């Protein structure tokens, strides 16, 4: 159950006067009211029965400290037991004991769900919007990669490890591995042909599973059954043998992703939105490394809207130049600042131009289209076919280079979205767009900050849930750091909004000093 009583300052609280007024943790503590966290977690605790639990507010603050300074569970507790600024931020007395480091892991796993972290981010951003700390009306979206906390294995090695785990669990539960089960695992490294090695290892693993299920009562061996079930699921995925599925037994959620055409990584992608002027993260989503940027754009926009941020401009790189994203931005009555993607918009603008009012294409030789026809291929992809005037094409000096075969007039085949995309391409040639697009640089800076100073370059745990928790706690840490920086630049920052404990402790300090 949660404690109801408020914490009273002890005689040692006077030591907090030694902390400089402009210390970053003091600025955050004296500005952001974290008491709403206990209300968010209230339903997950028994209100009247059980041992008094450590307050969720305290646990979340410890986790924020951990990601603020990129510390381990043990190290953050040790440092918080000695550092006055840490204690002041945690809103505890200097003589109070902190929870055991093991409780942090339990709290992350059993209490700290994704939706709760989203709500904490939203609430803090919303407070800053209401108090005028966040004034930006533009948001930028981007994804950054995180390496998995394990190495990438070949399918052969994954299957070998699965086989060994089956033998190990069976021996633990059955006392032995029956002689009828072949335990001589093939040495795949000695097989020169990589494809042949995969086939041999797959056949051996499938034979092992079948033999174990035939030889023992699998229902009486729950751990072995669980490993076999896991192995079957992995083998069932056609992407596995193609090396696009599971690549690690330790972390089965991580996937191979692409930083560029020739640069790959193994791990996860964190996609987030950030205000362009204030550089405050408003929403975070985490997926495996194979995630396609922009897939969760609508969810990120909705979370950003909940935080109270006004959205008038949306920035992104070429990966976000998609019809669905542009339509959503239009629905918000915002303006997109997203460069045209050559994959979505393929037209040679040196040779062809478009008039949206008359729905006509013009070539560089002065000819124009006179007919438009809608068509759909076998895959369901939609196109427009624009037909140029035949007589002008017949007498054109570039006819041999422009038209192949016996066709008289040129036919321009474009995607159904190309006419609309042409308008975006023309806007992006203006000086206004080029100047505005510079604001997106805030995203690259934030990526570097989270990776280089807060540990987002490598996963701390081994699955998608753990990675999601890590990314969102990192976002909370850098947000609070940014808020403190903004406040330190304001002359009247102490009068923005205070926590109750701050006012109470301040009064106590004055009386003591008097």
């Amino acid at each position: 159950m949660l404690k109801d009583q408020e914490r009273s300052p002890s005689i040692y609280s006077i030591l907090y006067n030694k902390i400089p007024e402009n210390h970053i943790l003091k600025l955050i503590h004296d500005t952001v009211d974290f008491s709403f966290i206990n209300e968010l977690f209230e339903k997950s605790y028994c209100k009247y029965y059980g041992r008094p639990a450590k307050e969720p507010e305290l646990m979340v603050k410890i986790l924020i400290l951990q990601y603020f300074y990129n510390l381990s569970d043990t190290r953050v507790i040790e440092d918080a037991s000695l550092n006055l600024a840490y204690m002041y931020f945690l809103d505890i007395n200097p003589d109070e004991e902190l929870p055991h480091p093991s409780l942090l892991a339990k709290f992350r796993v059993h209490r700290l769900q994704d939706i709760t972290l989203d709500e904490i981010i939203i609430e803090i951003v919303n407070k800053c919007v209401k108090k005028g700390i966040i004034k930006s009306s533009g948001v930028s979206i981007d994804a950054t990669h995180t390496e998995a906390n394990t190495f990438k294995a070949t399918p052969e090695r994954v299957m070998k490890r699965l086989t060994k785990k089956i033998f190990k669990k069976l021996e633990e539960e059955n006392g032995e591995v029956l002689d009828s089960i072949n335990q001589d695992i093939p040495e795949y490294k000695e097989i020169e042909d990589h494809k042949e090695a995969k086939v041999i290892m797959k056949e051996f693993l499938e034979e092992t599973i079948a033999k174990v299920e035939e030889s023992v009562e699998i229902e009486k061996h729950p751990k072995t059954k669980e490993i076999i079930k896991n192995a079957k699921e992995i083998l069932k995925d056609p992407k596995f043998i193609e090396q696009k599925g599971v690549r690690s037994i330790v972390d089965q959620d991580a996937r191979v992703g692409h930083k560029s055409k020739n640069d790959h990584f193994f791990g996860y992608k964190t996609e987030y939105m950030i205000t362009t002027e204030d550089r405050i993260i408003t929403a975070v989503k985490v997926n495996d490394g194979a995630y396609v940027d922009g897939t969760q754009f609508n969810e990120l926009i909705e979370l950003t809207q909940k935080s109270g941020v006004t959205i008038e401009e949306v920035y992104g790189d070429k990966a976000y130049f998609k019809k669905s994203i542009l339509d959503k931005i239009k629905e918000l009555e915002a303006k997109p600042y997203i460069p045209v993607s050559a994959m979505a918009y393929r037209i040679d603008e040196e040779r062809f131009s478009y008039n949206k009012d008359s729905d006509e294409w013009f070539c560089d030789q002065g000819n124009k289209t006179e007919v438009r026809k809608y068509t759909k291929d076998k895959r369901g992809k939609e196109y427009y076919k624009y037909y140029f005037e035949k007589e002008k094409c017949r007498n054109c000096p570039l006819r041999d280079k422009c038209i192949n075969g016996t066709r008289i007039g040129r036919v321009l085949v474009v995607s159904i979205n190309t006419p609309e995309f042409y308008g975006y391409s023309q806007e992006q040639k203006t000086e206004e767009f080029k100047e505005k697009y510079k604001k997106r640089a805030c995203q690259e800076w934030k990526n570097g900050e989270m990776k280089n100073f807060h540990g987002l370059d490598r996963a701390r745990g081994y699955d998608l849930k753990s990675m999601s928790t890590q990314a969102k706690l990192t976002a909370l840490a850098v947000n609070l750091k940014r808020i403190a920086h903004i406040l330190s630049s304001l002359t009247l920052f102490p009068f923005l909004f205070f926590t109750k404990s701050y006012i109470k402790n301040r009064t106590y300090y004055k009386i003591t000093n008097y």
Side-chain angles (χ1 to χ4, degrees), residues 361-471:
W361 287 92
F362 298 83
C363 77
D364 57 353
Q365 297 301 307
N367 197 359
K368 69 174 184 176
T369 56
E370 53 183 0
V371 178
R372 186 193 78 177
K373 291 185 179 179
Y374 168 81
T375 184
K376 191 175 184 178
D377 63 18
K378 294 180 180 179
R379 295 175 297 176
K381 199 167 184 179
E382 299 173 299
Y383 298 94
Y384 283 134
K385 288 185 177 181
Y386 287 88
Y387 295 81
F388 283 87
E389 293 182 27
K390 293 182 179 179
E391 291 305 316
K392 287 189 177 181
C393 284
R394 190 194 301 272
N395 302 315
C396 180
L398 300 179
R399 173 181 172 77
D400 294 339
K401 296 180 180 179
C402 187
I403 302 175
N404 297 322
T406 59
R407 185 182 295 276
I408 299 174
R410 170 68 187 253
V411 179
L412 184 63
V413 181
V414 299
S415 165
I416 196 169
N417 299 319
T418 298
E420 181 181 348
F421 289 168
Y422 181 82
Y424 288 111
S425 72
Q426 299 309 299
E427 286 181 15
Q428 291 173 21
K429 294 176 182 179
T430 63
E431 290 301 320
E432 179 195 357
F433 180 91
K434 294 176 182 178
E435 189 63 31
K436 280 274 191 179
Y437 191 67
K438 292 178 181 178
K439 291 183 178 181
R440 193 194 161 274
C442 67
Q443 199 103 35
E444 302 299 335
W445 187 91
K446 190 64 69 174
N447 287 348
E449 179 189 6
M450 291 193 292
K451 286 184 175 183
N452 297 330
F453 301 107
H454 301 280
L456 197 62
D457 57 326
R458 186 176 180 86
R460 287 173 176 250
Y462 297 105
D463 55 26
L464 188 61
K465 181 181 176 182
S466 172
M467 185 64 235
S468 183
T469 300
Q470 178 181 345

Side-chain angles (χ1 to χ4, degrees), residues 30-291:
D30 295 352
T31 304
V32 181
D33 184 357
F34 290 94
S35 62
F36 69 91
I37 292 175
N38 282 344
E39 296 175 9
L40 289 178
F41 284 87
E42 191 174 7
K43 293 182 180 179
S44 64
Y45 290 87
C46 178
K47 194 170 183 180
Y48 303 106
Y49 303 102
R51 291 186 302 170
K54 293 294 182 183
E55 294 90 336
E57 179 184 346
L58 173 63
M59 300 300 286
V60 170
K61 281 184 172 183
I62 294 174
L63 290 174
I64 290 172
L65 270 182
Q66 180 180 16
Y67 284 83
F68 207 96
Y69 295 105
N70 196 19
L71 305 172
S72 66
D73 288 353
T74 303
R75 182 63 184 274
V76 72
I77 296 298
E78 288 177 353
D79 287 4
S81 301
L82 300 171
N83 193 306
L84 281 174
Y86 287 16
M87 296 176 195
Y88 186 82
F89 173 74
L90 296 176
D91 203 16
I92 62 173
N93 293 317
D95 55 334
E96 285 188 43
E97 288 189 9
L98 287 166
H100 192 273
S102 62
L103 289 179
L104 289 178
K106 291 180 181 178
F107 183 78
R108 278 194 302 266
V109 174
H110 300 295
R111 302 288 184 186
L112 204 58
Q113 303 299 320
D114 283 353
I115 186 64
T116 308
L117 281 171
D118 285 335
E119 289 171 346
I120 293 172
I121 293 172
I122 288 170
E123 183 65 24
I124 291 177
V125 174
N126 190 261
K127 286 177 180 289
C128 292
V129 171
K130 289 180 178 178
K131 297 298 178 180
I133 296 174
I134 297 177
K135 300 176 182 179
S136 178
S137 59
V139 295
S140 179
I141 182 172
D142 196 14
T144 187
H145 72 276
T146 301
E147 295 284 349
N149 193 18
T150 183
F151 64 91
K152 175 180 62 177
T154 61
E156 302 96 291
R157 181 160 186 167
V158 170
M159 289 185 281
K160 181 178 180 178
R161 294 196 66 188
L162 282 170
T163 307
K164 283 187 172 181
K165 287 187 75 173
I166 292 172
F167 291 152
K168 182 179 180 181
K169 294 301 177 184
L170 182 60
E171 187 175 2
E172 288 177 2
E173 294 182 315
N174 194 51
E176 63 174 349
V177 179
L178 302 179
D179 294 336
S180 59
I181 300 174
N182 181 13
Q183 297 184 59
D184 295 327
I185 302 174
E187 290 296 334
Y188 67 88
K189 291 182 180 180
E190 297 177 0
I191 304 172
E192 294 184 3
D193 189 342
H194 183 54
K195 292 182 179 179
E196 183 185 351
K198 286 192 285 188
V199 172
I200 291 173
M201 290 303 300
K202 184 180 180 185
E203 289 176 350
F204 184 81
L205 177 56
E206 289 174 337
E207 289 173 6
T208 299
I209 292 171
K211 199 66 178 176
V212 170
E213 290 180 326
E214 177 188 324
S215 304
V216 302
E217 294 183 48
I218 200 66
E219 295 298 331
K220 294 182 178 179
H221 303 77
K223 293 181 180 179
T224 307
K225 180 183 176 182
E226 186 63 30
I227 296 298
I228 288 176
K229 179 183 177 183
N230 182 220
K232 285 181 176 179
E233 289 175 352
I234 292 174
L235 293 175
K236 186 179 178 182
D237 184 3
K239 293 181 180 178
F240 171 65
I241 296 298
E242 297 299 321
Q243 301 188 171
K244 296 179 180 178
V246 173
R247 300 296 298 272
S248 168
I249 298 300
V250 177
D251 190 345
Q252 297 186 22
D253 290 339
R255 292 291 183 273
V256 175
H258 302 268
K259 301 179 191 176
S260 63
K261 188 175 181 179
N262 300 315
D263 192 5
H264 304 159
F265 72 96
F266 178 60
Y268 299 90
K269 270 190 178 181
T270 298
E271 191 169 41
Y272 65 96
M273 276 192 173
I274 180 175
T275 59
T276 53
E277 300 291 341
D278 310 298
R279 300 202 296 275
I280 298 291
I281 295 173
T282 59
V284 180
K285 288 289 181 182
V286 178
N287 297 275
D288 62 60
Y291 171 78

Side-chain angles (χ1 to χ4, degrees), residues 305-321:
Q305 287 179 308
K306 287 181 180 179
S307 68
V309 173
T310 303
I311 303 175
E312 295 179 0
E313 299 168 349
V314 180
Y315 297 79
D317 58 25
K318 291 181 180 180
Y320 297 93
F321 190 82

